[in-house]
Amino acid sequence: DTGVSQDPRHKITKRGQNVTFRCDPISEHNRLYWYRQTLGQGPEFLTYFQNEAQLEKSRLLSDRFSAERPKGSFSTLEIQRTEQGDSAMYLCASSLIDPSPLHFGNGTRLTVT
Amino acid sequence: QKEVEQNSGPLSVPEGAIASLNCTYSDRVSQSFFWYRQYSGKSPELIMSIYSNGDKEDGRFTAQLNKASQYVSLLIRDSQPSDSATYLCAVTRQGGKLIFGQGTELSVKP
């Protein structure tokens, strides 16, 4: 069990640029989640997958956010035309099917200048 | 009403005391409940899971669940300075989506 791996750990970008983050889940986990967390708040749900199927996407997300999980393995989260309000920690987690707990990666900290 | 609500912190307790953290949730059909600990700048780590009414103990930690009252709590006995962190309550919605509360910051004073 190598844990959930996220890349990069930190990303600084200028407003208007596109960014892409990668998450590699624990190998036997078929569920993969993306969350966003800002200072002093709990993780905010963005989207989740079961294998390659995206089961739900938060209504809070604009169309600038997209996530994929080709072949049910790693996942990518892309943010287009970044805004300063996108600055946050982006957390990926994986699990077996409910009611299994989530295991989190170390996160990607995004700073939009 | 937020889906998962926690005590607003910070909560400060002396070393060796019992820390009590509370959480309420709005969705009656929720079946799985978790407590995560998050140190500053780190990602959340699971400390307790509970699925049925009653108490569940693991070392110095006890989780309590009351589905009728839609309430889940975490007790930390013999609190240590190393327990100082933010504690996140998380509840599974139908379909498996995990929703988090805003977290309660705990400070254990030596």
Side-chain angles (χ1 to χ4, degrees):
Chain A
D1 180 359
T2 56
V4 179
S5 176
Q6 290 188 247
D7 184 69
R9 291 293 306 276
H10 303 276
K11 178 71 176 179
I12 300 173
T13 191
K14 294 188 179 202
R15 184 166 52 92
Q17 297 295 305
N18 299 344
V19 294
T20 301
F21 309 141
R22 177 179 170 124
C23 173
D24 288 89
I26 294 171
S27 58
E28 64 268 26
H29 286 181
N30 43 21
R31 287 206 168 167
L32 187 148
Y33 299 75
W34 286 99
Y35 288 84
R36 177 173 64 186
Q37 188 175 26
T38 54
L39 194 63
Q41 300 298 313
E44 176 189 14
F45 172 81
L46 295 179
T47 189
Y48 78 121
F49 295 84
Q50 181 165 313
N51 300 316
E52 66 275 11
Q54 187 172 22
L55 297 186
E56 186 172 343
K57 180 177 176 179
S58 171
R59 289 190 296 270
L60 298 174
L61 283 189
S62 71
D63 290 339
R64 297 185 297 108
F65 288 73
S66 62
E68 294 182 340
R69 193 183 181 196
K71 303 178 183 178
S73 56
F74 72 92
S75 176
T76 57
L77 176 69
E78 181 183 18
I79 308 174
Q80 296 182 328
R81 304 181 303 281
T82 52
E83 301 172 356
Q84 286 190 316
D86 297 331
S87 295
M89 176 74 82
Y90 289 82
L91 295 165
C92 176
S94 69
S95 76
L96 298 169
I97 290 178
D98 183 56
S100 297
L102 271 59
H103 298 261
F104 283 87
N106 289 325
T108 293
R109 181 166 296 283
L110 173 66
T111 302
V112 182
T113 62
Chain B
Q1 181 187 7
K2 292 183 179 179
E3 292 187 71
V4 181
E5 294 204 60
Q6 297 184 238
N7 285 6
S8 57
L11 173 66
S12 182
V13 300
E15 183 175 356
I18 296 175
S20 177
L21 303 160
N22 303 313
C23 173
T24 58
Y25 59 95
S26 62
D27 187 357
R28 286 195 166 273
V29 302
S30 296
Q31 294 294 321
S32 307
F33 308 86
F34 306 94
W35 283 98
Y36 285 80
R37 177 176 61 200
Q38 187 173 29
Y39 292 112
S40 180
K42 302 294 186 181
S43 58
E45 57 177 327
L46 178 73
I47 52 173
M48 290 288 287
S49 59
I50 187 165
Y51 306 107
S52 55
N53 281 329
D55 295 358
K56 179 181 177 182
E57 187 174 318
D58 183 0
R60 296 185 296 110
F61 299 96
T62 299
Q64 300 174 315
L65 175 61
N66 183 326
K67 290 186 179 180
S69 299
Q70 295 174 240
Y71 174 90
V72 58
S73 67
L74 179 70
L75 299 177
I76 306 174
R77 290 181 300 281
D78 188 24
S79 296
Q80 301 298 307
S82 59
D83 295 327
S84 297
T86 295
Y87 289 80
L88 298 163
C89 172
V91 175
T92 300
R93 293 292 311 279
Q94 192 169 14
K97 181 172 75 174
L98 196 64
I99 302 298
F100 286 83
Q102 74 271 30
T104 299
E105 184 183 349
L106 172 66
S107 177
V108 181
K109 303 294 186 185

